[in-house]
Amino acid sequence: MQRVDFYFDFISPYGYLGSLGIETLAARLGFAVDWQPMLLGVSVMKVMGLPPLGETPLKGAYSGRDFRRCFRFLGVPCRPAGAMQPLPAGRAFTWLRDADAALAKRFAQAVYRAHWSEARDMSSGAALAEVGVQLGIDPAELCAAIADPMIKARHRALVDASLARGVFGSPTFAIGSELFWGHDRLPQVERWIERGGF
Amino acid sequence: MQRVDFYFDFISPYGYLGSLGIETLAARLGFAVDWQPMLLGVSVMKVMGLPPLGETPLKGAYSGRDFRRCFRFLGVPCRPAGAMQPLPAGRAFTWLRDADAALAKRFAQAVYRAHWSEARDMSSGAALAEVGVQLGIDPAELCAAIADPMIKARHRALVDASLARGVFGSPTFAIGSELFWGHDRLPQVERWIERGGF
């Protein structure tokens, strides 16, 4: 089965929209989606040397308005919890992913929905554990994983791998060496999958 | 008749794609398109304080690949002439626009096509005059306008007006106070026009 690697950061509302779009497309066309963590704080600020999107003159004000309009356009409930600390969620996802990728995906989907559609701040281990328990994930184990130096290192290694592949934005869809940045590139992803490139 | 203001920079291949898309949409839905010059060098570098797209790590390499893929996706011939000096074309457009907006638009369309689809570098007055002559524009007058301090000031005033409206990227489509950045926002422009907002 063909595979699309889906790179995302939990702090990215466009990443949430991309996650919904790629899974809808995957269900229709029949391909696998491998969710991979990336961190905008690393790619944007440390590698590209740019300020955070929200703090960029003109573009910051625009993007705050644009992402809400994109939610409305796609019919996705938009109730953002505000700025999110991404490391606990990224580490929890990494911990789950190595054991059970399908469960990790369901967890990430639930975290995205809670933070961006239900105004539930997903910055803390306690908030993440509350989401996880609904999926049968032990809260104490999840909180321990977030604080585990091995998991932190593993998360960082996955983030480094995203950079090595050229990923800098969320969402990014990767098919082999071809990268598609932005949920608005999904029509191109669709054609790429259907035709094997174009 | 409803109006969409279309902000563009000649150096922007996405601006070229946006110009094709907005005019196609306008012909179908029946609205006016007012072409307005902006300069990425001013908005990106001076106002936002960012490096040029092509020089940004990761994103620069991606965008060089992405714009070519967007051309293929849309079936637009892609034969770029390379980096373009945008001031002569912006000033020539400004000069024409104040006298005859329809002619200015046809000129801009021809310049875009020459530079991005026909590998003809549009950086110089001589190259622009060659395009203009096909539209009945006097070459000597065009070259004089490009060097005219009044035209330079008028061009700069239009660019300042784009910034005052919050425009920072090319293409940007503006409907009243609503801005849509990127040719990939055309589906949203379409719905906005059809429904009067969403």
Side-chain angles (χ1 to χ4, degrees):
Chain A
M1 187 186 268
Q2 191 158 10
R3 192 187 82 223
V4 174
D5 293 320
F6 166 62
Y7 291 90
F8 70 103
D9 185 336
F10 286 105
I11 69 166
S12 163
Y14 300 108
Y16 176 34
L17 296 180
S19 76
L20 299 172
I22 194 68
E23 290 293 344
T24 300
L25 194 59
R28 184 150 56 80
L29 299 185
F31 58 85
V33 184
D34 189 357
W35 288 43
Q36 310 257 8
M38 59 83 70
L39 286 175
L40 288 167
V42 176
S43 65
V44 172
M45 287 188 275
K46 295 193 181 166
V47 178
M48 298 200 281
L50 308 179
L53 180 59
E55 294 170 23
T56 306
L58 301 178
K59 205 175 192 173
Y62 171 80
S63 67
R65 193 169 172 127
D66 177 65
F67 89 75
R68 288 174 170 82
R69 192 176 61 208
C70 289
F71 274 64
R72 295 199 302 277
F73 185 69
L74 295 167
V76 178
C78 188
R79 291 187 58 218
M84 179 179 171
Q85 161 55 257
L87 291 180
R91 289 167 182 162
F93 173 77
T94 298
W95 167 65
L96 288 167
R97 184 176 177 276
D98 283 344
D100 182 341
L103 178 62
K105 186 187 290 193
R106 289 203 303 281
F107 173 76
Q109 288 169 324
V111 170
Y112 255 148
R113 187 171 56 244
H115 193 89
W116 294 101
S117 286
E118 298 168 358
R120 294 162 59 198
D121 189 344
M122 290 291 117
S123 296
S124 69
L128 295 165
E130 208 174 292
V131 165
V133 86
Q134 302 292 322
L135 300 168
I137 299 162
D138 184 85
E141 280 183 30
L142 184 139
C143 288
I146 289 171
D148 183 341
M150 296 272 288
I151 299 296
K152 292 182 183 180
R154 171 72 176 140
H155 180 223
R156 183 56 199 240
L158 290 175
V159 171
D160 286 344
S162 77
L163 294 169
R165 200 168 177 180
V167 171
F168 60 89
S170 168
T172 295
F173 312 100
I175 306 172
S177 62
E178 197 72 18
L179 302 182
F180 301 82
W181 169 48
H183 79 282
D184 35 35
R185 285 292 176 276
L186 280 169
Q188 294 192 20
V189 172
E190 178 173 1
R191 189 181 295 179
W192 198 274
I193 293 278
E194 286 181 327
R195 303 190 185 176
F198 60 81
Chain B
M1 186 186 268
Q2 192 158 11
R3 192 187 85 222
V4 173
D5 293 320
F6 166 62
Y7 291 89
F8 70 103
D9 186 334
F10 286 104
I11 71 167
S12 162
Y14 299 107
Y16 176 34
L17 296 181
S19 76
L20 299 172
I22 194 67
E23 290 293 344
T24 300
L25 195 60
R28 183 150 57 80
L29 300 185
F31 59 84
V33 184
D34 189 357
W35 288 43
Q36 310 258 10
M38 59 84 68
L39 286 175
L40 288 167
V42 176
S43 64
V44 172
M45 287 187 276
K46 294 191 181 166
V47 178
M48 297 199 281
L50 308 179
L53 180 58
E55 294 170 22
T56 306
L58 300 179
K59 205 174 190 172
Y62 171 81
S63 67
R65 193 169 171 128
D66 177 66
F67 89 75
R68 288 174 171 83
R69 192 175 60 207
C70 289
F71 275 63
R72 294 199 303 277
F73 184 69
L74 296 166
V76 178
C78 188
R79 290 188 58 219
M84 179 180 171
Q85 160 55 257
L87 291 180
R91 289 168 183 162
F93 173 77
T94 298
W95 167 66
L96 289 167
R97 183 175 178 278
D98 283 344
D100 183 341
L103 177 62
K105 186 187 290 193
R106 289 203 303 281
F107 173 75
Q109 289 170 322
V111 170
Y112 255 148
R113 188 172 53 245
H115 193 88
W116 293 102
S117 287
E118 297 168 359
R120 295 162 58 199
D121 189 346
M122 291 291 116
S123 297
S124 69
L128 295 165
E130 208 174 290
V131 165
V133 86
Q134 303 292 321
L135 300 168
I137 300 162
D138 185 87
E141 281 183 30
L142 185 140
C143 288
I146 289 171
D148 183 342
M150 297 272 287
I151 299 298
K152 290 182 184 180
R154 172 72 176 139
H155 180 224
R156 183 55 198 239
L158 291 174
V159 171
D160 287 344
S162 76
L163 294 169
R165 201 168 177 180
V167 171
F168 60 89
S170 169
T172 295
F173 313 100
I175 307 172
S177 62
E178 197 72 19
L179 303 181
F180 300 83
W181 169 48
H183 79 283
D184 35 36
R185 286 291 176 277
L186 280 169
Q188 295 192 20
V189 172
E190 178 173 1
R191 189 182 294 180
W192 198 274
I193 293 279
E194 286 181 328
R195 303 192 184 174
F198 60 81

